[in-house]
Amino acid sequence: MNTMDADDEPSLAAHGKPCIGCRKRKIKCDRLRPCANCTRSKQLCTYDNADSRGESSSAVASDGDVRERLAKLERMMAAMLLKENEGRGHVPDHDEEPLALNSAPSPAIISPSSTFVSPTTTPLNIDLTTSARHIPLSKREAPVGQILFQDGCSAYYDADFWPTLMTEVEDLRILFDQVVLDPPAGHSQGSGSVPWPLLTSSSTSSCLSLMHPTLDQSNVLCKYFFEIIQPFIPVIHQALFARELEQYRRGTYLHPQEFEAVLFTMYLLTINSLQPRVIEEIFSVPKQEVLAKFKHSAQVALSRIDFMRNEKLHGLGALLYYVTFLFQQNLYKDGIALLGIASNLARQMGIHRDPSHFPFSPWVCNIRRRLWNHLCCLDGQAIQFYGAQSCLPAKSDASPPQNANESDWHASRFAKPASAPQDAVGFKDLTFPVVNRAISDTIRDLADTDCKNFEKREEILRRAESFITEKYLSEVDRSNPRHTVVVALMEVRLAGLRLNTRHRQLTRIRTSPADPGRYRTLIAAVELLEAYQYHKTTFSTLNWEWIFQTAIPWLAIAIVLAELPHLSAQSDIARAQRQVDDIFAVFSNPDQPVSNTPMWGILLQLRQNMTTPVQPTSAVALGNMDSMATTMFTDDLMLDLGVSMTGSMPGEFDEYMLGNENSITW
């Protein structure tokens, strides 16, 4: 080993070649260790490995001594852990994996050009409580879902997955049905081509420059993105993105392929969220054709950066944007698979650990928290609506981003610590994503709670509702649509979670159709559908309908379909039937991606099994429904918006959009 010795006496062992320093300076070397020249200049004297044979024996001896001391330390730690487990009464099972204390650590290799960031805490930070993670899963109090298998196929769904709660569903194996989608127009794949996302560099050789929109189209899409997407998915910063976009267009951006992937996934999200007439005005072609083209372009851009291994922040952001698009399209199988890849990439990049552990600047901490925050929100959606298991690592502790306005940030990785804004109370620019994160954390808490512990589940929901209302929604400006849409999202998401718990409780006690609790659950499901349709229609004037495309109240639809034949009151029949007709009229449209999903096939099956004829809806009943649905909802939906938004919203929304249009930088 080449180390700096503190000995005053130089070593008398001469080397065959001069030292590295003398060779670089081209001066005569006496070939001692250290040589006279390096001693005078106080430089580290090093020789080639081939000339260091005299030190090999001492290096081996030193290495053996270190390994012996390390083994002794590991034996001491193992004895301490064993003593602690005996004191806690924990006896390892025969199938329990032992602690990996005897494995030799791998050496850390740091290249001269790499940047090494170490935690600010003590390097040897051993958590003695980690032995609890080795308790077999059978001994933990965790709800167990259902496994579905057929013809070699196997799928596991969370205990709260809505089809597994419906006894009226005859065959869950319909979830194995593969959805065959048509390839994008002009990009047909041959029999020998490789399907995405397994594209290789040779299969993505097509020039992406030909797939870019024109400069005017790009500017319009970017403008719409920061109007209808960025307020709810603030992964990037508008001012910083404008500077990076200018550098990319000039060809001076440092990572052009990663930024190109971000651009195409931004285009894709924007096109999917805009109404068809707006897309036709921009591109002069139907929306579905434009959407297919940019979906293919986004896939090619992600493949070119090797998104399964890419560890750049923009690469992870582009992947999260694409997963968001898949969830909007209810292509949940692809979305859940790619979400797992994104979670593993984020873990390898250290995004799952709170950046306050490391010497990052406030702005870098903020960007890393934004990425992890959106990944957590997607994880909550996968659990609530698709029955997936959480893909977050157990040791993740990254906190949500600060509840602050975008203008409060100094968007520079060299920003000083004092430039970071405080985590404010009330409504700010980042309130929507942090509220969405709080709902997602609640979903994970419910997934880890015993399904039969209804009191605890209700307490989790009450605590989440109280926290969100007090911290973020205590002073909501009901004339501002960005405020009211947060309230609307919280209504739909938390009401769906509460309906899940109540329906499970009624199923457990096996109530009769005439039971009052069963009737109240049905009415709660109808009211949830009314709120969903109301918010979806109201915010479509701002092109914010996409927010509710993923939050489809699947369980509420299934409950109404199952209970509709048992209703006797004419008003209840008319009310429930109207919601069923409206939902199926919207989502049965072939242009809607929901209509091609296996879960929608389950609802179609339920509707076909309604054997009791339903009497036609009267005009009087529909008139009463109009007046009720546009005023307020019950306590199940928590907050009343307080205003009738149907008549006055469009004009106010248009004025709101025009007011913000002047602040766009491009």
Side-chain angles (χ1 to χ4, degrees):
M1 293 185 295
N2 294 329
T3 58
M4 294 186 66
D5 299 328
D7 300 332
D8 295 330
E9 294 290 333
S11 176
L12 297 180
H15 293 264
K17 293 182 180 180
C19 70
I20 297 177
C22 291
R23 292 209 310 268
K24 288 183 178 179
R25 288 177 287 179
K26 297 182 178 180
I27 58 179
K28 187 176 181 180
C29 178
D30 58 7
R31 302 181 183 182
L32 299 179
R33 176 178 293 276
C35 69
N37 297 327
C38 292
T39 302
R40 285 194 299 269
S41 60
K42 297 181 180 180
Q43 299 291 330
L44 178 64
C45 186
T46 57
Y47 289 84
D48 291 338
N49 292 334
D51 296 328
S52 303
R53 297 172 184 173
E55 299 175 355
S56 59
S57 59
S58 61
V60 172
S62 177
D63 183 72
D65 181 63
V66 171
R67 290 183 179 274
E68 181 179 358
R69 294 172 60 187
L70 179 60
K72 182 178 179 180
L73 178 61
E74 290 176 347
R75 289 193 296 270
M76 293 174 60
M77 291 175 57
M80 291 171 60
L81 291 177
L82 181 60
K83 183 176 180 180
E84 181 184 8
N85 290 334
E86 291 175 354
R88 293 181 179 180
H90 171 66
V91 179
D93 271 359
H94 65 279
D95 58 346
E96 187 172 348
E97 296 181 3
L99 292 175
L101 292 176
N102 296 326
S103 58
S106 57
I109 302 176
I110 305 175
S111 62
S113 61
S114 64
T115 302
F116 180 72
V117 181
S118 61
T120 57
T121 57
T122 306
L124 186 58
N125 187 9
I126 302 174
D127 185 7
L128 297 181
T129 61
T130 54
S131 59
R133 298 184 183 276
H134 294 268
I135 300 175
L137 186 60
S138 59
K139 294 187 178 182
R140 301 179 191 171
E141 293 183 359
V144 179
Q146 291 192 14
I147 288 183
L148 183 64
F149 57 91
Q150 177 190 24
D151 297 336
C153 299
S154 179
Y156 178 81
Y157 296 98
D158 187 73
D160 289 332
F161 189 37
W162 68 268
T164 62
L165 305 181
M166 303 299 300
T167 58
E168 292 81 3
V169 176
E170 295 180 352
D171 191 1
L172 282 173
R173 290 174 297 180
I174 193 176
L175 294 173
F176 282 130
D177 292 348
Q178 297 292 331
V179 180
V180 180
L181 301 177
D182 295 332
H187 301 285
S188 59
Q189 297 178 350
S191 58
S193 60
V194 182
W196 194 86
L198 301 178
L199 297 176
T200 60
S201 57
S202 60
S203 58
T204 59
S205 57
S206 56
C207 186
L208 270 180
S209 60
L210 301 177
M211 303 181 185
H212 278 275
T214 63
L215 183 61
D216 292 338
Q217 292 171 345
S218 175
N219 290 335
V220 171
L221 290 178
C222 289
K223 179 179 76 72
Y224 275 120
F225 177 85
F226 284 97
E227 285 182 356
I228 66 178
I229 305 294
Q230 174 70 9
F232 314 107
I233 311 178
V235 174
I236 58 179
H237 189 269
Q238 180 174 343
L240 180 61
F241 174 81
R243 296 199 300 266
E244 294 178 337
L245 179 62
E246 183 179 359
Q247 295 174 4
Y248 171 77
R249 288 175 174 175
R250 292 202 312 260
T252 60
Y253 191 72
L254 184 60
H255 305 294
Q257 290 189 346
E258 282 74 18
F259 190 83
E260 190 174 45
V262 171
L263 264 183
F264 274 109
T265 51
M266 285 173 52
Y267 295 155
L268 182 63
L269 274 177
T270 306
I271 294 170
N272 185 58
S273 305
L274 289 173
Q275 297 178 0
R277 60 174 182 82
V278 180
I279 298 300
E280 292 187 13
E281 291 176 0
I282 299 174
F283 294 95
S284 301
V285 292
K287 176 180 177 178
Q288 293 300 323
E289 182 177 343
V290 178
L291 190 66
K293 172 186 174 182
F294 278 92
K295 179 181 179 181
H296 176 76
S297 302
Q299 292 176 350
V300 173
L302 287 170
S303 299
R304 289 186 64 181
I305 66 172
D306 195 7
F307 71 93
M308 292 186 182
R309 301 179 182 88
N310 192 289
E311 295 181 347
K312 295 183 175 63
L313 294 181
H314 270 329
L316 179 60
L319 179 57
L320 292 178
Y321 279 157
Y322 188 76
V323 174
T324 304
F325 163 76
L326 293 178
F327 280 177
Q328 289 179 4
Q329 294 274 306
N330 279 276
L331 301 174
Y332 51 90
K333 291 188 177 182
D334 294 342
I336 292 172
L338 294 181
L339 183 61
I341 294 176
S343 177
N344 288 331
L345 285 176
R347 178 179 54 81
Q348 295 172 11
M349 298 165 64
I351 307 292
H352 69 301
R353 301 311 303 264
D354 193 78
S356 61
H357 299 313
F358 308 94
F360 290 132
S361 66
W363 175 249
V364 175
C365 293
N366 178 52
I367 288 298
R368 296 174 74 91
R369 285 175 177 148
R370 290 187 185 203
L371 286 167
W372 185 252
N373 189 81
H374 187 50
L375 195 151
C376 292
C377 293
L378 294 174
D379 183 70
Q381 293 179 4
I383 297 173
Q384 181 178 5
F385 301 114
Y386 308 128
Q389 302 295 290
S390 176
C391 64
L392 304 186
K395 292 186 178 181
S396 61
D397 62 350
S399 59
Q402 289 95 320
N403 183 36
N405 291 323
E406 293 284 67
S407 59
D408 298 336
W409 283 101
H410 178 44
S412 172
R413 62 190 182 97
F414 303 108
K416 297 181 179 179
S419 65
Q422 298 296 323
D423 189 19
V425 175
F427 197 94
K428 302 294 180 181
D429 289 345
L430 266 70
T431 297
F432 186 97
V434 294
V435 168
N436 198 5
R437 168 71 175 275
I439 296 175
S440 300
D441 292 342
T442 303
I443 294 171
R444 279 183 287 273
D445 290 340
L446 292 174
D448 294 335
T449 305
D450 186 4
C451 302
K452 300 178 182 178
N453 194 344
F454 303 111
E455 295 182 0
K456 184 176 180 180
R457 295 172 72 89
E458 288 287 350
E459 176 61 26
I460 292 174
L461 290 171
R462 285 194 299 267
R463 187 168 62 247
E465 177 186 344
S466 176
F467 168 75
I468 295 174
T469 304
E470 292 177 2
K471 183 171 183 179
Y472 304 113
L473 305 180
S474 57
E475 298 179 359
V476 174
D477 182 5
R478 303 184 188 278
S479 63
N480 191 330
R482 288 194 179 182
H483 292 205
T484 54
V485 73
V486 179
V487 180
L489 176 77
M490 188 178 70
E491 286 181 350
V492 173
R493 297 288 297 275
L494 291 186
L497 295 173
R498 184 173 288 109
L499 180 65
N500 187 309
T501 299
R502 294 181 179 179
H503 175 72
R504 181 185 290 276
Q505 190 173 9
L506 290 175
T507 305
R508 184 168 178 261
I509 60 179
R510 297 182 181 179
T511 58
S512 63
D515 184 84
R518 188 166 173 176
Y519 175 77
R520 286 193 296 268
T521 302
L522 168 63
I523 297 302
V526 174
E527 290 171 347
L528 177 55
L529 294 182
E530 292 171 350
Y532 175 81
Q533 294 277 49
Y534 171 71
H535 295 319
K536 190 169 176 286
T537 303
T538 300
F539 293 104
S540 63
T541 57
L542 265 179
N543 292 297
W544 290 351
E545 184 180 1
W546 66 270
I547 299 175
F548 302 94
Q549 287 181 355
T550 305
I552 299 176
W554 298 96
L555 179 61
I557 301 173
I559 291 175
V560 174
L561 288 175
E563 297 296 332
L564 187 55
H566 304 295
L567 291 176
S568 57
Q570 180 65 30
S571 59
D572 294 336
I573 294 176
R575 186 180 180 185
Q577 185 64 45
R578 181 184 181 184
Q579 295 307 312
V580 170
D581 293 341
D582 290 346
I583 287 289
F584 277 83
V586 172
F587 293 121
S588 293
N589 187 344
D591 293 335
Q592 290 288 337
V594 180
S595 61
N596 297 320
T597 61
M599 289 200 302
W600 187 252
I602 292 179
L603 293 181
L604 290 175
Q605 185 183 78
L606 271 178
R607 196 183 191 191
Q608 293 174 358
N609 293 342
M610 293 169 51
T611 56
T612 303
V614 180
Q615 300 182 8
T617 304
S618 63
V620 177
L622 291 179
N624 294 335
M625 275 295 303
D626 289 334
S627 62
M628 178 184 61
T630 57
T631 53
M632 67 178 61
F633 308 111
T634 65
D635 294 338
D636 286 341
L637 298 177
M638 300 170 298
L639 295 179
D640 172 28
L641 297 181
V643 292
S644 178
M645 304 170 70
T646 305
S648 59
M649 270 295 188
E652 296 176 1
F653 277 10
D654 294 340
E655 183 179 355
Y656 178 76
M657 291 183 66
L658 293 176
N660 277 353
E661 195 169 332
N662 297 327
S663 63
I664 299 299
T665 57
W666 38 79

